[in-house]
């Protein structure tokens, strides 16, 4: 690993060596992040894997092509007609559904795995019931590592199979799921298993490449706003950090304002933000169809609050109804996201109606995962399908 990078506490600034697996501060228990001594303005190579192209912004000496599944390099799509409908000049979708396992999680999985491999660790794991579990299982299989996936007891078969197909050691755990995040890391440290959980520092390093790509795709004109569906806060932190690093090397001349979008039924960050709080409080009974953003006590919640305050960000909530409507609206532009992936568009609609977003503001929505991930949500839509006999086909087509 590179010499001039360290881990630093996002809460108190305490420093730790880069070879630390534990993702949190020994003093204040806030999450750590990678800090770089020197970041030189560089030419980003046009070709190569995500790890190769952004190697100068990552702490690894040698990017390993053999562990990549082709993550990143996702399209930024302009929504022309929809923007017009919403009374906006420019609205974009960063389509993370095109990652190898159909969510942005692959970016952080590959950087987390790189960290594990560079420390000589051969066992990895994660705690997840959804996209992260699938992602870690797939990359673990690709790299030939022993991979442990911990899911909560009672998880639906529909969710188990896409994880199990990759052949990880799959454990359903009976007990408090929030507690499992911390317990897995402790036990993992003792047993040499690197748990690449939702907001660990090296997962955040992968997420920041979303910001790098947006900068490149907008010819280094930062958008006014970036809207992120937020749960643990790991992805939000990564994207924020990516823009800060692009700003630091002089590639962009301003930071976009970040918007943390949450489901109304589980909004610990937006609630704390709304009452001017400095720390998140546990949501007692989380309830939303957007399960991937249903973390009742986000481990990076306080850091997201600090960043929102530091840089003039916003936090908003949207209802399940608004999320489903946005899922349909976005599909009408050709992009089929899972409900969580439509949360940013739902937030944009709401903030535009309230005129918080003004017509000239350019806005990027992070479409975090693919629609086929969650078939149950589709049953909540009302689709119109007509039947016709082959003899009456022509009538039906023109009628
Ligand atoms: C994990 C996930 C999120 C939430 O990301 P965090 O880093 O936990 O805030 C949002 N959408 C999708 C599709 C996800 O898989
Ligand atoms: Zn600390």
């Amino acid at each position: 690993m590179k010499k001039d990078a360290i881990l630093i506490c996002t809460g108190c600034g305490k420093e730790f060596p880069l070879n630390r697996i534990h993702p949190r501060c020994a003093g204040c228990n806030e999450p750590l992040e990678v800090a770089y001594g020197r970041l030189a303005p560089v030419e980003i190579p046009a070709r190569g894997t995500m790890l190769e192209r952004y190697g100068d912004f990552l702490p690894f000496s040698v990017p390993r092509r053999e562990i990549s599944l082709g993550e990143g390099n996702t399209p930024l799509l302009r929504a022309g007609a929809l923007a017009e409908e919403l009374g906006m000049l420019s609205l974009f979708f960063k389509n993370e559904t095109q990652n190898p396992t159909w969510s942005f999680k692959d970016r952080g999985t590959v950087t987390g795995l790189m960290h594990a491999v560079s420390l000589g660790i051969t066992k990895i794991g994660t705690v997840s019931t959804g996209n992260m579990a699938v992602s870690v299982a797939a990359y673990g299989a690709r790299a030939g590592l022993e991979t442990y996936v911990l899911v909560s007891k009672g998880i639906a078969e529909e969710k188990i199979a896409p994880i199990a197909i990759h052949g990880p050691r799959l454990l359903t755990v009976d007990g408090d799921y929030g507690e499992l995040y911390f317990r897995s890391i402790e036990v993992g440290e003792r047993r040499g298993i690197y748990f690449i959980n939702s907001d660990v520092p090296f997962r955040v390093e992968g997420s920041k490449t979303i910001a790098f790509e947006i900068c490149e795709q907008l010819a280094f004109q930062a958008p006014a706003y970036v809207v992120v569906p937020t749960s643990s806060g790991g992805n939000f932190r990564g994207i924020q950090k990516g823009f800060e690093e692009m700003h630091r090397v002089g590639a962009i001349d301003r930071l976009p304002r970040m918007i943390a979008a949450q489901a109304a039924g589980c909004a610990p960050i937006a609630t704390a933000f709304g009452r001017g709080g400095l720390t998140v409080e546990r949501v007692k009974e989380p309830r939303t169809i957007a399960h991937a953003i249903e973390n009742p006590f986000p481990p990076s919640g306080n850091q997201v609050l600090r960043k929102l305050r530091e840089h003039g960000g916003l936090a908003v909530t949207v209802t399940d109804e608004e999320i489903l409507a946005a899922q349909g609206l976005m599909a009408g532009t050709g992009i089929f996201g899972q409900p969580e992936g439509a949360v940013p568009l739902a937030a944009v609609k709401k903030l535009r109606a309230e005129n918080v977003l003004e017509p000239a503001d350019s806005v990027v929505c992070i479409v975090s995962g693919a629609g086929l991930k969650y078939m149950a949500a589709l049953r909540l839509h009302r689709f119109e399908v007509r039947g016709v006999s082959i003899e009456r086909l022509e009538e039906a087509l023109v009628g």
Side-chain angles (χ1 to χ4, degrees), residues 236 240 244 255 257-260 268-280 301-315:
F236 179 100
Q240 172 85 52
E244 285 181 34
L255 292 176
R257 293 176 70 186
M258 300 278 288
I259 300 176
I269 295 172
T271 304
F273 183 81
R275 56 168 168 70
L278 297 172
T279 53
V280 290
N302 299 342
Q303 171 63 0
V304 171
L305 287 171
R306 285 190 286 272
K307 283 291 168 187
L308 291 175
R309 202 156 288 129
E310 184 183 341
H311 296 293
L314 299 170

Side-chain angles (χ1 to χ4, degrees), residues 102-105 128 130-132 198-199 203-204 207 228-237 262 269 291-295 298-300 304 338-341 366-370 373:
W102 312 284
S103 88
F104 76 87
K105 294 291 196 304
S128 165
N131 290 334
M132 196 162 51
S198 53
D199 69 334
R203 182 172 285 287
V204 170
S207 271
V228 187
T230 304
S231 189
S232 73
N235 195 35
F236 179 100
R237 283 177 54 207
Q262 298 207 284
I269 295 172
H291 297 297
I293 56 167
E294 203 175 20
N295 190 326
S300 279
V304 171
Q338 63 187 93
E340 298 78 1
I366 307 298
V367 184
S368 49
K373 289 275 190 169

Side-chain angles (χ1 to χ4, degrees), residues 30-197:
E30 281 296 286
L32 306 181
E33 71 176 18
V34 180
Y36 299 87
R38 204 165 28 85
L39 275 181
V42 282
E43 287 286 309
I44 299 166
R47 283 168 198 279
T49 64
M50 188 194 95
L51 290 175
E52 289 165 342
R53 296 190 64 236
Y54 301 119
D56 286 324
F57 293 85
L58 294 168
F60 315 114
S61 318
V62 201
R64 304 220 189 181
R65 186 173 273 262
E66 70 275 15
I67 65 169
S68 170
L69 281 168
E71 57 288 336
N73 292 315
T74 61
L76 183 73
L77 303 163
R78 181 185 276 278
L82 179 56
E84 209 168 297
E85 217 174 282
L86 297 173
M88 307 170 73
L89 288 176
S90 36
L91 176 65
F92 298 90
F93 293 116
K94 181 63 172 160
N95 190 2
E96 290 296 296
T97 75
Q98 293 195 13
N99 275 294
T101 72
W102 312 284
S103 88
F104 76 87
K105 294 291 196 304
D106 295 334
R107 296 178 186 264
T109 301
V110 81
T111 45
L113 208 146
M114 273 295 295
H115 188 223
V117 167
S118 64
L119 297 177
I121 295 170
T122 57
K123 298 175 185 171
I124 59 166
T126 199
V127 175
S128 165
T129 50
N131 290 334
M132 196 162 51
V134 174
S135 180
V136 170
Y139 279 80
R142 166 94 173 148
L145 302 182
E146 212 168 289
T147 306
Y148 294 81
V149 177
L150 312 185
V151 301
S152 47
K153 196 182 151 204
I155 179 181
E157 181 68 28
E158 180 192 86
K159 284 184 164 185
I160 285 267
I163 306 168
I165 191 89
H166 295 293
R169 296 181 186 221
L170 191 49
L171 297 170
T172 60
V173 184
D174 190 1
D176 182 76
Y177 185 68
E179 167 81 18
L180 194 52
Y181 168 97
F182 297 99
R183 190 70 65 87
S184 64
I185 287 165
E186 274 167 37
V187 175
E189 259 187 300
R190 281 200 292 277
R191 298 292 170 174
I193 305 167
Y194 191 137
F195 274 88
I196 314 169
N197 290 351

Side-chain angles (χ1 to χ4, degrees), residues 8-16 24-32:
I8 191 164
C9 174
T10 56
C12 71
K14 197 169 154 58
E15 294 178 4
F16 298 87
R24 304 184 80 87
C25 178
C28 73
N29 199 33
E30 281 296 286
L32 306 181

